[in-house]
Amino acid sequence: MIRKTVDNVQDALKGVKDGMTLMLGGFGLCGIPENAISELVRLQVSGLYCISNNAGVDDFGLGLLLQNKQIKKMISSYVGENDEFERQMLSGELEVELTPQGTLAEKCRAAQAGFPAFYTPAGYGTEVAEGKETREFNGKMYVLEKAFEADFSFVKAWKGDEAGNLIFKGTARNFNPCMCGAAKITVAEVEELVPAGSLDPNEIHVPGIFVQRIFQGEKYEKRIEQRTVRPRN
């Protein structure tokens, strides 16, 4: 069996260089690869093209890379709760490509499946479609969207085994599964790493064929962007 387990996040990120295109799983702060992001900050790689639903918050998640001006371009579906993201976008310091959320997910999935492009009605007649091929199918107009081409994909899972099989927990599943196998190298960090054969095959969300490197992460904060609780009685 091909050994996919690496000892730590430093080994997991070997090969990451300036100017690379990176996919990062998560939705808001839910299910983000915290360890990988922290290591990117430590490595001080710059000129990065980041594909992620959004960019975390000012002082956590991808917001840390934005603060250090390590990101050249964000490809995401919305600005979210990150004031620094908004500031850099409006000032022109940061290139931003806003993409409909479903299209963002499908561009990941197309790359994962090996499809070079696909047609979608989302964005037709808007700025999203400018400069792109359009075509009519059954009386409805569609926009041709190309699959992403990324160097690394960083995902976070709840459990994983030494063969790279992954299980996600709850809403942390979000963009993570469709980013697995969607880049040249997929790196998975997990809360619990178990021996191959320990996971119930019926519970596995992503098979190990889509993962090249896996390691057990540590010190997860799992912050909540907007904590909402019921008032005390």
Side-chain angles (χ1 to χ4, degrees):
M1 182 182 295
I2 299 175
R3 175 177 169 80
K4 298 184 177 182
T5 305
V6 293
D7 295 330
N8 49 52
V9 67
Q10 289 78 24
D11 289 341
L13 268 67
K14 282 184 177 178
V16 176
K17 300 176 182 178
D18 293 349
M20 281 190 163
T21 299
L22 312 179
M23 287 183 171
L24 299 107
F27 187 103
L29 298 180
C30 181
I32 63 172
E34 295 181 28
N35 285 243
I37 292 172
S38 295
E39 180 63 10
L40 289 171
V41 172
R42 189 191 72 81
L43 290 172
Q44 296 185 346
V45 286
S46 61
L48 299 173
Y49 294 76
C50 291
I51 301 167
S52 185
N53 183 61
N54 58 306
V57 293
D58 289 344
D59 61 346
F60 195 60
L62 285 180
L64 297 173
L65 295 175
L66 284 171
Q67 281 186 350
N68 289 347
K69 307 293 178 63
Q70 292 175 255
I71 300 177
K72 179 178 182 179
K73 183 176 182 177
M74 275 298 308
I75 302 170
S76 54
S77 68
Y78 75 114
V79 175
E81 305 291 330
N82 196 318
D83 292 334
E84 180 61 15
F85 184 2
E86 180 182 14
R87 188 195 67 77
Q88 289 188 27
M89 180 180 73
L90 294 177
S91 68
E93 297 174 42
L94 176 70
E95 296 178 41
V96 178
E97 183 180 328
L98 291 177
T99 304
Q101 198 167 76
T103 301
L104 186 77
E106 188 64 13
K107 284 166 75 77
C108 294
R109 196 193 69 82
Q112 179 191 69
F115 299 136
F118 60 92
Y119 283 100
T120 174
Y124 177 75
T126 72
E127 292 182 9
V128 171
E130 289 182 3
K132 298 176 182 177
E133 178 185 331
T134 59
R135 186 173 175 182
E136 183 178 345
F137 292 95
N138 300 320
K140 188 172 184 178
M141 296 302 297
Y142 290 76
V143 181
L144 182 67
E145 293 282 0
K146 295 181 179 179
F148 286 130
E149 296 180 10
D151 297 294
F152 277 85
S153 176
F154 298 110
V155 301
K156 156 71 167 43
W158 175 44
K159 285 185 180 181
D161 68 15
E162 294 170 343
N165 298 304
L166 304 177
I167 297 176
F168 301 94
K169 190 172 185 179
T171 53
R173 194 169 173 179
N174 52 60
F175 279 84
N176 283 299
C178 64
M179 288 186 173
C180 292
K184 294 175 183 176
I185 297 176
T186 294
V187 178
E189 58 179 81
V190 297
E191 294 180 41
E192 184 178 347
L193 184 61
V194 299
S198 301
L199 301 178
D200 182 344
N202 295 302
E203 296 180 353
I204 292 171
H205 295 129
V206 172
I209 191 68
F210 292 109
V211 177
Q212 282 71 50
R213 301 174 189 173
I214 186 170
F215 71 98
Q216 182 162 319
E218 57 183 17
K219 299 178 181 179
Y220 286 107
E221 293 188 41
K222 298 183 182 180
R223 293 194 196 178
I224 298 174
E225 289 176 87
Q226 297 289 344
R227 186 184 298 273
T228 304
V229 296
R230 289 180 299 176
R232 292 181 180 179
N233 295 328

